[in-house]
Amino acid sequence: MSIDLGLDRVVAVARRMALLDRPLAGGVITVAGTNGKGSTVALLDALARSHGLTTATYTSPHLLRYNERLRLNGREADDATLIAGFEAVETARLDGEPVSLTYFEAGTLGALWVMAQCPPDLAILEVGLGGRLDAVNVIDADVAVITTVAHDHAAYLGDDIEGIGREKAGILRAGRPAVLGSSTLPASVHDAVRERGAVPFALGEQYRRSECGAAGWRWTGMGARGEPLEVDGLPDPGLPLDNAATALQALAQAKGELDAQACRQALGRVTLPGRLQWLGQWCLDVGHNPHAASYVAERLAARPCSGRTWVLLGMLADKDADGVIAGLAPLADAWVTVSLEGERARSAADLAERIVERGGRVAYQAATPVAGGAWLAERLAAEDRVLVCGSFFTVAAILAWKRAGTAPP
């Protein structure tokens, strides 16, 4: 099965695995949103471990290895650990009337089983799609985070932004904190907070960030008992500061207090492959919707270069290519479009046609991301830069190629 929204099958297998009989961890933070989930999880993990907490994180999709999806105390789970989880899922799935599971559902249950074998102080779970009907939502969140709400996954969530907001708000629980990581969330999210009886902590209201010049930036928020908290002198983590502020507020609710020096250390060392990741002249970002594209363009515009900015773009057919191109167009001096493989693939020619219609210059169309990267590498001037974006598949291919240090045959 590919995608089959609904929790009945997942709950049935989770009960057979005894995953719902006891707490998964000392605390659970669930993160939903259109953009910013991965960076918020990475920030939360770094912050929690800097405070001396043991952690387990579950994210999706992966870039190069499935093992990336499950991290225990910051390290990827090894193959034996993952296999043990998959075997536990399969045993439970076939114990009685067989239950069908999707790829994501089986992976989620396997990761939860691994966490349950040695419960961490904090489990941080990233929603895969939506929220209400996502497999992750079988676990009650002690703190629910909603980063942003924008158009994406239209085939499953629809084009109604209010409806998308309601789906993502399905992770909220009565009486528990709801950390809202954007000042522009749709009204449906705020309505859901009230209807479900969650306790809101909204960016720009209960917590905020402010610049401190050369001294970094300041976070002000609220602790678990409603007491005011403040941490200043925070470094730029190279990830969205709204997400960093959101992670700080979520951890404050989960832990009850924050240590300023631990926060500074965490934000100074956090890394996340594929999110504004620089490899020399190459910037890799998995952004694949208009909201993400505009953010990336804004960040790179604040970091001008003396040469040309090339955009190497490869996208899937079910994504808003026109919106992404529009978001990146002010940044791009020239484009290289690449084809992806699979049923959902979009061709380089299709992307090129859309770019040209907007007045952009397409310098090359490649059959694969690596072929496009190799063509571009031979033509880059020392002062040029390249943005690789549009899909996890595009970034993963270029990342693997760059790490290998080889060109395609």
Side-chain angles (χ1 to χ4, degrees):
M1 299 172 65
S2 54
I3 295 177
D4 185 10
L5 296 179
L7 293 181
D8 291 346
R9 293 169 294 99
V10 183
V11 168
V13 179
R15 284 179 176 154
R16 295 178 185 180
M17 300 174 71
L19 290 175
L20 308 182
D21 295 347
R22 58 188 183 277
L24 180 72
V28 175
I29 300 178
T30 300
V31 182
T34 304
N35 295 309
K37 299 190 298 294
S39 57
T40 301
V41 170
L43 289 157
L44 269 166
D45 182 52
L47 286 162
R49 288 188 289 114
S50 280
H51 281 81
L53 301 179
T54 58
T55 64
T57 63
Y58 176 63
T59 61
S60 64
H62 58 275
L63 274 173
L64 301 179
R65 285 162 39 91
Y66 187 93
N67 307 60
E68 298 167 21
R69 297 187 179 216
L70 177 61
R71 292 180 179 268
L72 307 174
N73 291 317
R75 295 186 176 184
E76 293 178 10
D78 59 30
D79 292 350
T81 299
L82 292 173
I83 289 170
F86 297 148
E87 289 177 342
V89 174
E90 188 66 3
T91 297
R93 188 181 74 82
L94 299 176
D95 183 14
E97 183 68 24
V99 178
S100 62
L101 294 172
T102 67
Y103 169 85
F104 179 75
E105 290 166 348
T108 300
L109 289 170
L112 297 177
W113 182 88
V114 170
M115 294 181 193
Q117 304 318 295
C118 186
D121 295 325
L122 187 64
I124 308 167
L125 310 177
E126 178 187 344
V127 169
L129 176 64
R132 180 176 64 93
L133 299 177
D134 188 86
V136 165
N137 203 33
V138 299
I139 301 297
D140 290 331
D142 295 299
V143 179
V145 177
I146 300 177
T147 56
T148 60
V149 175
H151 291 103
D152 201 3
H153 299 294
Y156 301 99
L157 301 179
D159 292 316
D160 175 16
I161 200 71
E162 296 294 338
I164 295 171
R166 280 190 292 274
E167 287 298 314
K168 296 188 185 299
I171 66 170
L172 304 179
R173 298 296 191 267
R176 299 184 183 179
V179 180
L180 310 179
S182 170
S183 59
T184 59
L185 292 174
S188 60
V189 173
H190 300 280
D191 292 343
V193 171
R194 290 189 295 269
E195 293 164 2
R196 292 172 176 267
V199 182
F201 295 88
L203 178 65
E205 297 181 26
Q206 287 80 17
Y207 73 99
R208 63 188 69 243
R209 64 175 177 89
S210 55
E211 301 296 331
C212 299
W217 61 283
R218 176 185 297 113
W219 173 86
T220 54
M222 298 176 64
R225 296 178 298 277
E227 71 278 19
L229 298 176
E230 180 176 294
V231 183
D232 59 14
L234 292 167
D236 185 342
L239 296 168
L241 292 186
D242 281 355
N243 295 344
T246 298
L248 285 162
Q249 182 58 59
L251 185 63
Q253 290 303 302
K255 189 177 185 298
E257 59 184 0
L258 297 176
D259 177 82
Q261 187 57 27
C263 292
R264 297 185 193 110
Q265 289 175 350
L267 297 188
R269 70 187 184 203
V270 65
T271 59
L272 184 60
R275 275 74 165 186
L276 288 173
Q277 178 185 6
W278 285 92
L279 299 175
Q281 296 170 266
W282 301 66
C283 178
L284 280 59
D285 194 275
V286 296
H288 53 264
N289 57 49
H291 182 272
S294 296
Y295 172 77
V296 170
E298 179 183 331
R299 286 296 296 263
L300 264 65
R303 182 178 169 166
C305 71
S306 58
R308 291 178 293 181
T309 295
W310 297 81
V311 176
L312 188 153
L313 183 68
M315 297 188 67
L316 295 176
D318 56 359
K319 302 303 179 182
D320 182 0
D322 291 325
V324 168
I325 291 166
L328 296 174
L331 179 77
D333 295 308
W335 303 73
V336 173
T337 62
V338 301
S339 297
L340 299 180
E341 298 179 351
E343 295 179 358
R344 299 162 59 205
R346 187 187 295 272
S347 71
D350 178 88
L351 289 170
E353 182 179 351
R354 295 169 187 273
I355 291 167
V356 170
E357 287 176 352
R358 294 190 61 87
R361 183 173 78 86
V362 178
Y364 189 65
Q365 301 176 39
T368 67
V370 172
W375 181 91
L376 189 50
E378 294 178 352
R379 291 159 177 80
L380 278 183
E383 63 273 16
D384 290 350
R385 64 182 175 183
V386 181
L387 171 63
V388 178
C389 62
S391 172
F392 274 82
F393 295 108
T394 308
V395 169
I398 295 297
L399 180 58
W401 170 62
K402 296 289 286 183
R403 286 184 176 177
T406 59

